[in-house]
Amino acid sequence: IKVSSIPSHASIFLDGAYTYKLTAETIDTTPGDHIVALSFEGYAEQEQRVSVPDGTVVEAHIKLQKL
């Protein structure tokens, strides 16, 4: 999953687990449905459901809202 955000450098969580990566980054995962969540100080956490077909890279672009 290629994860990007506005603003960039948000912390990436995949299926509730912290990935220790920041946007923009590509996260390796298994095929199927996943939840990508982003967290950035001063912004509301946002989630997006992503369906990953076998053998493909999908994109998740999330715009975070200021608190």
Side-chain angles (χ1 to χ4, degrees):
I1 304 171
K2 185 176 179 182
V3 185
S4 60
S5 68
I6 297 175
S8 60
H9 299 99
S11 297
I12 303 171
F13 294 80
L14 182 64
D15 299 327
Y18 183 47
T19 64
Y20 298 94
K21 295 186 178 186
L22 304 175
T23 59
E25 184 68 66
T26 300
I27 307 297
D28 291 328
T29 190
T30 58
D33 293 333
H34 298 279
I35 299 292
V36 174
L38 300 182
S39 176
F40 193 82
E41 188 173 339
Y43 290 79
E45 185 175 301
Q46 296 287 322
E47 291 185 347
Q48 183 174 323
R49 181 176 296 276
V50 179
S51 183
V52 179
D54 190 24
T56 64
V57 175
V58 296
E59 294 187 18
H61 180 74
I62 301 172
K63 184 175 181 182
L64 300 174
Q65 302 295 318
K66 276 192 162 239
L67 294 175

